[in-house]
Amino acid sequence: MTDTLDGSIRLPRPIGFVLGGGGSLGAVQVGMLRALFERGIVPDLVVGTSIGAFNGAVLAADPANAIEQLDHFWRSSKRGDAFPLRGIKPFLYWRRTRQSFFPNDGLIRSIKSVLGDHLRIEDLRLPFGAVAIDVERATPVLFRAGNLESALLASAAIPGIFPPVNRDGRMFYDGGLGNNVPMRDAIGMGAQSLVVLDTTSPTADLRAPDTLMDLFSYVTEVYARQMVLRDLAELSHVPILYPPSPAPGTMSPLDLEHTEELLESSYLDTLEYLTLKVAATT
């Protein structure tokens, strides 16, 4: 069974949508999704890491309305929603908890605001998986069943920023540490072709960092893209659409000042990407 883009690009089904992590850069995935849906490219299953797991869960819960829900969520989100502490308070919180600078209360509110009616992963309309890292074993784990909220919190638990999450008696951190763009997990779930919604582009040039946050983003990006390039090489036999992200690899994943720009640019860039893909096959 195949899905057809403008009669030119054929994607074998099931089509797996893979949504990578990247904090505030997750806004680009909404623009990408809008362009893909307009061209008739829709998922049969969804896998995500960190913010990609959140966006992906909304997509898997209600594919027909997910884009509008996500667009509203991202346009109304503020930094204080996820990072409510200011000044010296994050350091005081760290001294008290010895786990993180911020609580994950804001993440819980965000999950409930959009996915409150879906308590378990099995409640979602499409097959869904969220990636997290087992703290003690230091290995990626794919959550495909059970409590949805804890799976999403675990997948987004950036070490030091948010606390690790207890799920089924084990502790978990952000899945981006070991599998930021979980393409192989989508194949493991049965996907015959992939649509990869990365928050940055793995072949784009990087600029030298000049601030501490830029340095953190740079190191994270270099590590993550090595995994992506390895997986792309190993999956060269699989049909893959990989729209480019307009976000530079050193843009802070904690910065929500560029959300509007990312939403619009990613939509236009993805439309252009798909047009070029069609032209290349005719």
Side-chain angles (χ1 to χ4, degrees):
M1 186 175 183
T2 60
D3 193 4
T4 304
L5 167 61
D6 288 353
S8 302
I9 296 179
R10 297 183 180 276
L11 296 177
R13 304 190 78 122
I15 302 172
F17 273 39
V18 181
L19 288 78
S24 62
L25 307 185
V28 305
Q29 294 169 344
V30 184
M32 292 174 176
L33 286 170
R34 187 179 296 279
L36 289 161
F37 272 53
E38 286 183 4
R39 303 298 283 269
I41 305 173
V42 297
D44 298 306
L45 60 92
V46 182
V47 185
T49 296
S50 198
I51 192 60
F54 171 79
N55 286 342
V58 177
L59 176 61
D62 187 3
N65 298 301
I67 296 171
E68 297 310 317
Q69 291 175 334
L70 286 169
D71 188 84
H72 178 266
F73 171 83
W74 280 97
R75 291 184 189 276
S76 61
S77 292
K78 299 177 176 58
R79 190 179 188 279
D81 295 338
F83 309 105
L85 305 181
R86 290 289 186 272
I88 196 174
K89 290 183 178 179
F91 297 96
L92 296 177
Y93 188 81
W94 171 269
R95 286 187 62 185
R96 179 162 60 86
T97 65
R98 297 295 179 180
Q99 288 190 323
S100 65
F101 287 105
F102 297 93
N104 59 11
D105 297 354
L107 300 182
I108 293 173
R109 286 191 293 271
S110 294
I111 293 169
K112 290 185 181 300
S113 71
V114 186
L115 292 160
D117 294 333
H118 302 85
L119 299 181
R120 299 179 62 81
I121 293 175
E122 298 92 323
D123 296 335
L124 306 179
R125 293 189 181 181
L126 297 179
F128 172 74
V131 178
I133 295 293
D134 185 302
V135 172
E136 293 182 351
R137 295 172 180 163
T139 55
V141 176
L142 181 67
F143 298 130
R144 294 189 56 188
N147 184 270
L148 176 61
E149 180 180 292
S150 69
L152 298 182
L153 289 174
S155 188
I158 305 171
I161 302 298
F162 297 118
V165 174
N166 188 316
R167 181 180 163 90
D168 300 327
R170 300 197 67 83
M171 302 300 290
F172 294 92
Y173 272 136
D174 190 305
L177 291 172
N179 196 8
N180 197 52
V181 186
M183 291 179 277
R184 287 178 294 170
D185 285 316
I187 297 297
M189 289 175 61
Q192 295 297 307
S193 59
L194 302 177
V195 177
V196 181
L197 308 184
D198 199 352
T199 58
T200 59
S201 296
T203 58
D205 290 342
L206 297 175
R207 68 171 186 269
D210 55 11
T211 69
L212 185 60
M213 181 54 66
D214 283 350
L215 179 61
F216 171 78
S217 299
Y218 179 87
V219 172
T220 303
E221 174 66 14
V222 169
Y223 177 69
R225 69 168 52 188
Q226 298 312 307
M227 291 187 287
V228 168
L229 295 173
R230 177 203 63 198
D231 288 350
L232 285 173
E234 293 180 359
L235 297 174
S236 59
H237 60 288
V238 177
I240 297 177
L241 293 181
Y242 206 127
S245 168
T250 52
M251 181 181 288
S252 170
L254 309 181
D255 181 5
L256 283 166
E257 294 182 2
H258 302 282
T259 296
E260 298 279 346
E261 176 188 347
L262 294 177
L263 287 169
E264 300 304 322
S265 296
S266 60
Y267 169 72
L268 295 174
D269 289 355
T270 302
L271 283 181
E272 181 181 4
Y273 168 83
L274 294 174
T275 299
L276 292 173
K277 278 290 186 181
V278 170
T281 62
T282 57

